[in-house]
Amino acid sequence: MVLMYICTGARNKELRLAKLNNLDLGRWEIYLEHVKGEDTYGHPRTVSVPEVIRPLISDYLITRQFWLMKNQITSDTLFFAFNKGHGPMSGNSVRKTKKMIEEELKVKFELRDCRRAFGQYYLNNGVPVDDVSVLMGHSSTKTTEGYYCRKREEDVINAVKNKW
């Protein structure tokens, strides 16, 4: 789940509320339906699932299906809660899962750091900030640049060399 946060730039709510059918394995994309501001300014979006995590996602889906069948449970939620209804995880469940991962890895992180890493990775690899902003679900590049990622000084210097 944390890898999906890092590699898709999804917000906590967006991935937590994702349904299994929001994940298109043919195209390796995930449709983020429940976005920030979904009832007002937010717009659902589709993002790519990078090749580097596809084997892990495939393994997760097999394990997920096996566990559900073994326990005679159905759930249409991609990352379901282990409670009576097996619906979406609560925000608190995600925080508990994150804490377990931090303890296992001996590294503290914030879920927003996953979004920052996502944005900075694409920006550092030549994706224009306008495109990164769209992928992150921002209505303006000001939000993207102000809170998540900015071009590295070294990249800007190299871009302007020999322009005079």
Side-chain angles (χ1 to χ4, degrees), residues 8-118:
T8 64
R11 294 177 179 91
N12 183 350
K13 172 186 176 181
E14 294 170 341
L15 197 54
R16 183 172 65 75
L17 298 180
K19 303 281 188 201
L20 185 60
N21 65 3
N22 291 139
L23 183 61
D24 180 342
L25 296 177
R27 298 177 64 159
W28 281 104
E29 296 174 343
I30 186 164
Y31 178 65
L32 301 172
E33 182 177 5
H34 297 285
V35 298
K36 182 177 180 179
E38 69 181 295
D39 295 327
T40 54
Y41 61 89
H43 301 285
R45 67 187 186 285
T46 300
V47 294
S48 177
V49 176
E51 194 170 330
V52 68
I53 66 165
R54 291 175 189 174
L56 298 169
I57 298 303
S58 294
D59 288 348
Y60 164 74
L61 293 172
I62 291 166
T63 303
R64 176 190 179 282
Q65 185 61 32
F66 177 78
W67 189 91
L68 289 170
M69 286 175 35
K70 179 182 174 202
N71 291 283
Q72 300 177 343
I73 296 168
T74 60
S75 177
D76 65 346
T77 305
L78 182 58
F79 297 104
F80 57 86
F82 288 96
N83 61 14
K84 188 176 178 182
H86 297 89
M89 294 175 77
S90 66
N92 195 43
S93 293
V94 172
R95 284 187 289 280
K96 286 180 182 178
T97 302
K98 181 182 95 58
K99 185 175 178 163
M100 289 188 316
I101 293 167
E102 288 176 331
E103 290 170 358
E104 181 71 25
L105 297 177
K106 295 177 181 37
V107 174
K108 292 242 182 230
F109 65 94
E110 296 299 323
L111 288 178
R112 185 179 266 192
D113 294 338
C114 298
R115 281 178 57 76
R116 287 186 181 107
F118 170 84

Side-chain angles (χ1 to χ4, degrees), residues 114-129:
C114 298
R115 281 178 57 76
R116 287 186 181 107
F118 170 84
Q120 196 65 54
Y121 174 82
Y122 280 115
L123 196 60
N124 289 351
N125 285 282
V127 177
V129 71

